[in-house]
Amino acid sequence: MSKVAVVTGASTGIGRASALALLKAGYRVALVARRQADLEETAQMAGSNAGNAMPVPTNVADPDSVAAVFTKLKAEWGRCDLLFNNAGMGVQGFLLEDLPVEKWQEVVNVNLNGSFYCAQQAFRMMKEQSPQGGRIINNGSISAHAPRPDSIAYTATKHAITGLTKSLALDGRKYNICAGQVDIGNAATNMTQRMTKGVKQPNGEMVVEPTMDVQNVANAIVYMDSLTLDANVLFMTIKATKMPFEGRG
């Protein structure tokens, strides 16, 4: 029987590319995001594998909405082998001192709370199913290591994701549940399109930054879950080779 995966943020970018890669690898994939039409488009892009895609419109910041995903998953496919916690957002155009509280809360609700809600539901299902276990992969971002200027909400949540990943990995051991994190830098998506016009650097300059093909990230997700459950990639950093990260600052 083919593996069952849940991919959040599957309507665009990294989530879409990863969902398509998993479908190509033979998975059945629940496509999770807010916009039904975009999820349907992702499914159609899978071609002959589209029948293994299940679009599930969801607001990951709403715990009841997330619970409904896993209720549907259990009813339709009976188990969950992989969760890719990918849905996320940031806010542009605010200095730290000007960031509205509601914008801070919005980023925390999606990036951190949403990841926890999805992980908790997947964890429960993986613990109870037979055979027991599964894998949870969180999208951390290189901002989990080093911030960009004017990104306090995004950076704080991505640092928090690292703690979420470590706790999931520790608490999941006794149930054969693995947890890992992929920290991504400058994958070419709609979200990173602005980098082709210049990105603010720590010294205040605007610099065009190199990007990499998003397929590299999708392939990494497939690889991380190709391991047997007695092995785990706890952290992986995949980034555009020439982007300013190692020497940022």
Side-chain angles (χ1 to χ4, degrees), residues 50-65:
N52 285 330
M54 182 170 64
V56 190
T58 307
N59 176 8
V60 297
D62 177 356
D64 292 333
S65 184

Side-chain angles (χ1 to χ4, degrees), residues 1-7 17-31 43 46 48-54 73 77 79-84 126 134-137 218-229:
M1 201 67 168
S2 58
K3 282 186 173 183
V4 173
V6 176
V7 177
S18 298
L20 292 173
L22 290 165
L23 287 162
K24 184 177 180 181
Y27 286 69
R28 290 172 288 171
V29 183
L31 308 174
S48 61
N49 297 310
N52 285 330
M54 182 170 64
L73 192 70
W77 291 337
R79 61 183 293 111
C80 178
D81 298 292
L82 170 66
L83 165 66
F84 180 29
M126 292 171 179
R135 193 178 307 272
I136 298 169
I137 301 174
N219 293 344
I221 299 303
V222 174
Y223 166 72
M224 289 172 76
D225 196 51
S226 73
L227 302 179
T228 53
L229 293 179

Side-chain angles (χ1 to χ4, degrees), residues 5-18:
V6 176
V7 177
T8 70
S11 57
T12 58
I14 291 168
R16 171 175 280 177
S18 298

Side-chain angles (χ1 to χ4, degrees), residues 204-223:
E205 292 181 5
M206 297 294 290
V207 176
V208 173
E209 292 192 9
T211 59
M212 65 173 174
D213 189 337
V214 71
Q215 191 61 42
N216 290 305
V217 180
N219 293 344
I221 299 303
V222 174
Y223 166 72

Side-chain angles (χ1 to χ4, degrees), residues 156-173:
T157 58
K158 291 305 183 178
H159 275 68
I161 290 296
T162 299
L164 183 72
T165 299
K166 290 179 179 179
S167 289
L168 287 167
L170 178 60
D171 295 343
R173 285 178 182 173

Side-chain angles (χ1 to χ4, degrees), residues 80-129:
C80 178
D81 298 292
L82 170 66
L83 165 66
F84 180 29
N85 250 335
N86 166 72
M89 64 169 292
V91 289
Q92 303 294 326
F94 293 99
L95 298 174
L96 183 153
E97 61 268 30
D98 298 328
L99 181 68
V101 169
E102 59 270 19
K103 290 293 186 182
W104 166 272
Q105 292 173 334
E106 187 178 3
V107 175
V108 172
N109 283 336
V110 173
N111 294 7
L112 180 56
N113 294 345
S115 293
F116 168 71
Y117 300 147
C118 291
Q120 185 181 55
Q121 291 291 335
F123 194 99
R124 288 169 175 167
M125 186 176 290
M126 292 171 179
K127 175 183 174 181
E128 295 170 0
Q129 64 197 14

